[in-house]
Amino acid sequence: MAVSTGGGGDDTPMSDINTTPLVDVMLVLLIIFLIAVPVVIQTVDLELPKVKYEVTTTKPENVLLSVKAGPEGCEVYWGTSRIASGELLERAVKKLEDEIERQGGVNAVGLELPEVHIRGDINTPYRCIGGTIFTMQQAGFAKVGFISEPEPGPAPAL
């Protein structure tokens, strides 16, 4: 403790705080945080696409499904006809098998499997759309995409 000698000769304690230890501790903490922050932040180096949306090429062999919520649950439409979930799996497997057979079999050169394009109503619960995706993947379709309405405005340059 620092002691001051005043004019009266009595030793009285100083009321000033020694800030040197406080500054030392703060500098050590700053160095620790500067070293630890890059270790804590872990990211995967990715290059994300710079596309707003892609134009969908419609092929006759692709499957167009529409999904919306109805009064008694989820409603799935194959084209324009309503279809039950059990029938959806059977019809999807049949469609895929017929397309593979039409192209020359599983080992055919340049085999292009059809895609599934799902149009989902904005008010449809995710479980309806997710169930449709799961059913189509279970049937064997590898590519499942979504059809959306672009924002109003000028068409993008291709």
Side-chain angles (χ1 to χ4, degrees):
M1 178 162 66
V3 180
S4 161
T5 56
D10 292 336
D11 292 336
T12 59
M14 290 179 57
S15 62
D16 295 337
I17 296 174
N18 187 2
T19 57
T20 304
L22 177 65
V23 171
D24 290 344
V25 169
M26 291 300 169
L27 287 174
V28 168
L29 287 174
L30 178 66
I31 292 171
I32 289 172
F33 285 128
L34 287 175
I35 293 171
V37 166
V39 175
V40 174
I41 299 175
Q42 297 177 357
T43 59
V44 177
D45 189 25
L46 296 176
E47 183 176 341
L48 298 176
K50 307 283 190 270
V51 178
K52 189 169 185 177
Y53 66 89
E54 294 180 18
V55 178
T56 304
T57 307
T58 304
K59 299 176 189 171
E61 63 268 10
N62 289 346
V63 176
L64 179 62
L65 299 176
S66 301
V67 182
K68 70 177 192 173
E72 57 277 336
C74 303
E75 296 178 1
V76 179
Y77 294 85
W78 185 295
T80 56
S81 60
R82 188 170 176 188
I83 189 168
S85 61
E87 187 183 351
L88 176 64
L89 180 61
E90 293 171 9
R91 193 167 176 182
V93 168
K94 175 106 173 78
K95 168 75 174 174
L96 197 58
E97 288 174 349
D98 290 347
E99 187 59 33
I100 291 171
E101 191 64 34
R102 185 186 71 76
Q103 292 186 27
V106 177
N107 297 325
V109 178
L111 180 67
E112 291 187 25
L113 296 176
E115 301 174 4
V116 178
H117 296 164
I118 298 176
R119 294 173 53 226
D121 186 64
I122 196 166
N123 297 318
T124 304
Y126 180 75
R127 64 180 171 80
C128 296
I129 295 173
T132 305
I133 294 169
F134 178 74
T135 301
M136 297 310 284
Q137 288 178 337
Q138 193 176 20
F141 285 88
K143 293 184 179 179
V144 179
F146 295 101
I147 305 296
S148 62
E149 186 174 335
E151 294 181 6
L158 298 176

